[in-house]
Amino acid sequence: MLVPALLVLLFCLRGHAGLSPHFLQQPKDLMVLLGDEARLPCALGTYSGVVQWTKDGLALGGERDLPGWSRYWISGDAARGQHDLHIRPVELEDQASYECQATQAGLRSRPAQLHVLVPPEAPQVLGSPSVSLVAGVPANLTCRSRGDARPTPELLWFRDEVQLDGATSYQTLLKKGTIESVESILSFTPSSHDDGATLVCRARSQALPAGKDTAITLSLQYSPVVTLSAEPQTVQEGEKVTFLCQARAQPPVTGYRWAKGGSPVPGARGPMLEVVADTSFLTAPVSCEVSNAVGSANCSTALDVQFGPILQAKPEPMSVDQGEEASFSCAWHGNPLPRVTWTRHGGAQVLGYGPTLRLPSVGPEDAGDYVCRAETGPSGLGGGAAEVRLTVNAPPVVTALHSSTAFLRGPARLQCLVFASPAPEAVVWSWDEGFLEKGSRGRFLVETFPAPEGRIGQGPGLISVLHISGTQESDFSRGFNCSARNRLGEGDTWISLGRREVLPTIRVVAGVASLATSLIIVITGVALCCWCQGKALPPSSHPHPLFLASASFSKQKNQVHIPGSSHGSSLRGPEEEETGSSENQGSIMHMDSSDLVLDEEGALETKDPTNGYYKVQGVSVSLSIGKTPGDGLFLPPSSPLGPLGTPPFYDFNSHLGMPRPCKLSRAQAGYLTTPHSRAFTSYIKPTSFGPPDRAPRTPPFPYASFPTPSHCRLQTHV
């Protein structure tokens, strides 16, 4: 074991003794900022001789402190072969190629390039710190970097830390080939949104990777930027809407201009406009134009005006043949769009939806009116409807108007009603022995005229009448046919003639005549009875108060004075009895002045109420109301209508139409009382007067007092 170890040690000693000087570490290229310290390393092995540094081939010296180079020195442990070159502070002249040399061993390191870096100064932007531009006009911004910056700086543009593209860089060289300055031009077209924006020009190089910045602020002049709003945006027709026009401009706004559908709105000024919404705002938007010194801009908006359905296209009536297809169309406009439905007139069943209704293979039952209805939408703005008529062309429909009856050998008339579309070419009546379309033939005559009302969807109606003069037995046993035809076919109906009997009619007429005759007889009998009673009275006992020959009449008080009466009592009213005298004043009879006149000799004469139209003289019946003898009309105590001493009762109510409370009665002392006022059937001027027949305890000269005209009055003329 000892022998191998010795051999190894010997080998190592021989290898160590045979090594030559060599570089353990050589300098490398180095970049140093101006003013900083530069260190170039150099280490040698198995060398203990002189070591020196060269600068661009010029030896700096072999001493460690390098006399003559105040900023240069060599550091490190020489025994260990360390010979590092230090330069502090580094200046621009220190930028060179450096070598580490072992002069005694003839060794030279590889050259190491020392680069002195000079940081760039802050760039300059033309027009900074605020640049005024016009929006929409292309502009150039110039950034310039001057000085001895090494390496040449790079100029970049930033906005909000985002690099901008479109910059172009230029370099200005001196005659010596060095760079005097660097410029960067940013070309762009600013907008109104760039107003107040900050742009940064940054000079960046290896000497200063972070770079140095110069910021500028953009001040833009721009035409107005307009925003137009409406409140409310969705509105119902007829409501008010306010438009607000807001503008951002530099310099400030100088004017506003409003328009609707391209036409100026008269009198509209300022940023606000108030209008009443209608349907035109859907297709004619409102615009606002704002101006300033730079220019003008406008903005427009349309309203969402909600309104009820408006009929734009009305459905057209149709006339189609039976079995063909019918189609109707109608168009409604509304906001929101209405839902369109189709129904029959008067019906609720929906036949279709949408603007078109198709009816395949129509029949007569499909004829009539159809309704195109726009239903109310969610807005609840009402609806609308349009009607259209479908006429179905089909063979005529013939019906009998009503059953007809006639007397034998009398006139008769049969009628049929015809509906047809198209109109019938002919309406023909036929029977056993012939037919007739129009005009007359023997006992038959045909007339045709339009019906007052047509049947919906089946065209206008016709009424055809068959007149028969002098009916015969055969007319009641056979039928009459009414038929009509058009290009689509024929229709007919049978009508029979009923017979009317004469006997029931004669009975009715006879009954009516009998009743009328009985009524006339009753009325005549009553009148004759009244006339006979008046005839039986003697002239001296005539009930009329004019029996006093020397009576005087006072027109002022409507009184008749009867001289010679010794009776001191009066049958006047209570008021007159209080004021009346008990002396010989005669009897006073109250009468209506219109019933008495004076003749030419001054005598009283009754006034004929008929003015001579009826020249009838008869009994005078005076009806009055009263409970005392003074309120009645004087009558003889005897009467031909009843036994003496029995007050007769005359009831004319059933014949004269008088109410039940009104009656004729014989009162005490020969006075007739009744709830009616007086009535005169005729007037007779008496020639002589006799004393009346008085009942016991009857005044010698009674008089009749007539009530006031407020009582009812009955006049009977016979």
Side-chain angles (χ1 to χ4, degrees), residues 348-423:
Q349 182 181 1
V350 178
L351 305 178
Y353 297 92
T356 303
L357 174 67
R358 288 184 173 84
L359 302 174
S361 186
V362 297
E365 67 278 2
D366 297 317
D369 291 337
Y370 290 80
V371 180
C372 173
R373 180 174 286 104
E375 296 184 354
T376 305
S379 60
L381 294 177
E387 291 191 7
V388 64
R389 177 162 295 181
L390 172 63
T391 301
V392 178
N393 299 327
V397 177
V398 184
T399 57
L401 279 180
H402 52 76
S403 60
S404 301
T405 59
F407 294 110
L408 180 63
R409 298 183 183 84
R413 184 175 64 175
L414 304 176
Q415 302 180 68
C416 68
L417 180 61
V418 179
F419 289 106
S421 179

Side-chain angles (χ1 to χ4, degrees), residues 139-190:
N140 295 325
L141 298 179
T142 301
C143 179
R144 183 176 297 166
S145 176
R146 293 180 178 274
D148 298 329
R150 296 183 182 183
T152 302
E154 179 184 18
L155 299 179
L156 303 175
W157 291 92
F158 292 88
R159 178 177 179 176
D160 299 331
E161 295 301 325
V162 178
Q163 184 176 346
L164 301 178
D165 297 329
T168 303
S169 298
Y170 300 92
Q171 295 181 352
T172 302
L173 301 177
L174 298 175
K175 293 181 179 180
K176 298 179 181 180
T178 59
I179 298 175
E180 179 182 8
S181 65
V182 177
E183 291 183 355
S184 178
I185 299 176
L186 176 65
S187 299
F188 72 106
T189 301

